[in-house]
Amino acid sequence: MTDSIIYALDFDGVICDSALETALTGWKAAATIWSGMAETAPPELVEQFRAVRPIIETGYEAILVIRLLHAGETIESIYAGYGEKAQALMAEAGLTVAGLKQLFGDTRDQWIAEDRAGWIAVNPLFAGMAEKLRRLGRDHVWYVVTTKQERFVKKILTANDIELAADRIFGLDRNMSKPEVLKGLQRSHPGRPLYFVEDRLPSLQNVRKHAELADLRLGFALWGYNLPQDKALAEAEGCRPLLLENFLENAAGFGDACKPD
C-alpha cells in the first residue's frame, strides 16, 4: 500500500444521501426559533428543499432555507438571492452562524437520543456505496473531508459496518477549510497521489484556486447535490464527472476525473 492512492471523500452528496434528514433537522431547529411552524415538515416543503439542497454548503444553512421556504420563497427566488435573503433572515431574528451551528448539532443529538434507528434510516448511503468503501479500505488509505460534524459521520458509517478511524474524519469540528485539510493530507502523505471527490462544483473550484494543490486529482460526483449547469460547466472546464455505478470500481483510479489548472 506504500505507493497507493490516498482518497479524500466528501460525505453528504458523495457517500450519504442525507437530504431528507437535513431538511427534517432544519425544520425541527427552525421550529424552536420561529412560532407557527407545525411539528412535522410538510412533504411538499421537503421536496422543495431537495431542489434547493445544492445551494447549501454547511448543514446549519438548512434552518435558513427551510424558514425561507416556509415563508413563501420559491425555489427560484432562493437561488436568485440566497446570500442576501439568508443574511436578512439572520439579522431579523438576531441569529449568528455559531448559534445556528450549535442549534443544528443539538437538534440532531436530541433526535438520535430519542430515535437513533429512525435517524439512521433517513441517512441512507447511496446505492452500493457501503461495499465500495469496505473494498476501498482494504486497498487504500481514505479520509472523509466534510462540513458535517464528525460525530454524525462516524455514527452513520458505523451503522453501515464501515470502519474508519476518527482521525481520518475531517469535519466541521476542525474549523478548517477543505483546501486546508487537503494541504495537510498532502504533507502527511508526500509523494503519493491524492484524489478528492466532491459533489459541489463550487468546492472543487475553490480547491483549484490553490497552487499548492495543483497535483490533486478532482472528481465531480454526478449523483450528489448539484445542478445541470454545474455539470455542463465541469465538462467545459475539462472535468469529466463521475458516475455512481463506476465510482471506485477501478483500483488504479476512480474513473473520470480532472486536474486543477
Side-chain angles (χ1 to χ4, degrees), residues 7 10-11 31 33 42 45 57 59-60 70 91 108-109 115 118 130 133 144 156 161-162 164 207 209 252 255-256:
Y7 287 85
D10 181 39
F11 193 75
I33 301 172
L45 188 143
E57 182 176 8
Y60 77 88
H70 180 262
R108 272 184 170 149
D109 284 329
D115 181 16
L133 293 178
V144 167
I156 294 168
D161 298 319
I162 298 167
L164 187 65
V207 169
K209 296 176 183 177
D256 295 327

Side-chain angles (χ1 to χ4, degrees), residues 11 15-18 116-117 119-135 138 142 148 152-164:
F11 193 75
I15 293 173
C16 180
D17 184 7
S18 59
R116 184 178 185 278
W119 182 79
I120 292 292
V122 291
N123 277 294
L125 302 193
F126 287 100
M129 187 60 67
E131 180 52 36
K132 289 174 185 286
L133 293 178
R134 293 187 200 107
R135 188 169 60 246
R138 292 194 290 267
W142 69 283
K148 199 183 196 78
F152 302 124
V153 173
K154 185 65 174 177
K155 289 178 188 296
I156 294 168
L157 292 177
T158 300
N160 286 277
D161 298 319
I162 298 167
E163 296 182 9
L164 187 65

Side-chain angles (χ1 to χ4, degrees), residues 25-39 60-71 85-96 100 103:
T25 300
W27 179 274
K28 290 173 184 285
T32 69
I33 301 172
W34 293 283
S35 60
M37 297 180 68
E39 183 176 348
Y60 77 88
E61 295 174 76
I63 301 172
L64 303 173
V65 170
I66 282 289
R67 179 59 182 176
L68 289 171
L69 290 170
H70 180 262
K85 293 177 187 297
Q87 287 298 320
L89 186 59
M90 290 176 63
E92 179 186 327
L95 304 171
T96 65
L100 288 172
L103 174 60

Side-chain angles (χ1 to χ4, degrees):
M1 202 183 281
T2 304
D3 299 319
S4 65
I5 298 162
I6 306 298
Y7 287 85
L9 311 179
D10 181 39
F11 193 75
D12 294 321
V14 172
I15 293 173
C16 180
D17 184 7
S18 59
L20 175 58
E21 184 272 338
T22 303
L24 297 179
T25 300
W27 179 274
K28 290 173 184 285
T32 69
I33 301 172
W34 293 283
S35 60
M37 297 180 68
E39 183 176 348
T40 305
E44 62 273 16
L45 188 143
V46 172
E47 285 307 305
Q48 289 178 315
F49 178 87
R50 280 188 175 274
V52 183
R53 175 60 182 82
I55 210 168
I56 292 175
E57 182 176 8
T58 306
Y60 77 88
E61 295 174 76
I63 301 172
L64 303 173
V65 170
I66 282 289
R67 179 59 182 176
L68 289 171
L69 290 170
H70 180 262
E73 294 285 350
T74 65
I75 294 168
E76 293 75 18
S77 70
I78 291 175
Y79 271 112
Y82 171 64
E84 296 81 0
K85 293 177 187 297
Q87 287 298 320
L89 186 59
M90 290 176 63
E92 179 186 327
L95 304 171
T96 65
V97 170
L100 288 172
K101 287 179 179 178
Q102 183 69 45
L103 174 60
F104 198 68
D106 289 348
T107 302
R108 272 184 170 149
D109 284 329
Q110 183 177 349
W111 186 352
I112 293 167
E114 294 173 352
D115 181 16
R116 184 178 185 278
W119 182 79
I120 292 292
V122 291
N123 277 294
L125 302 193
F126 287 100
M129 187 60 67
E131 180 52 36
K132 289 174 185 286
L133 293 178
R134 293 187 200 107
R135 188 169 60 246
L136 179 68
R138 292 194 290 267
D139 300 323
H140 297 275
V141 174
W142 69 283
Y143 297 84
V144 167
V145 180
T146 179
T147 57
K148 199 183 196 78
Q149 288 167 302
E150 294 169 17
R151 64 188 182 276
F152 302 124
V153 173
K154 185 65 174 177
K155 289 178 188 296
I156 294 168
L157 292 177
T158 300
N160 286 277
D161 298 319
I162 298 167
E163 296 182 9
L164 187 65
D167 62 3
R168 291 195 188 175
I169 302 173
F170 289 82
L172 187 67
D173 317 65
R174 310 272 182 143
N175 196 29
M176 297 171 65
S177 69
K178 289 183 178 181
E180 288 175 324
V181 172
L182 294 170
K183 289 174 190 177
L185 294 181
Q186 274 192 330
R187 291 191 294 270
S188 299
H189 302 282
R192 293 175 67 176
L194 177 60
Y195 286 9
F196 176 50
V197 183
E198 168 70 66
D199 69 306
R200 296 186 70 252
L201 184 59
S203 295
L204 291 176
Q205 291 171 325
N206 190 34
V207 169
R208 295 181 68 166
K209 296 176 183 177
H210 295 260
E212 307 96 309
L213 300 175
D215 291 332
L216 256 68
R217 294 290 300 276
L218 305 179
F220 182 49
L222 273 178
W223 60 91
Y225 310 127
N226 41 63
L227 301 170
Q229 54 264 41
D230 293 335
K231 298 165 188 176
L233 182 56
E235 292 198 83
E237 293 181 354
C239 180
R240 295 183 181 181
L242 305 177
L243 297 174
L244 179 58
E245 55 265 36
N246 298 331
F247 182 52
L248 299 177
E249 291 304 311
N250 183 351
F254 57 14
D256 295 327
C258 67
K259 289 189 67 174
D261 292 333

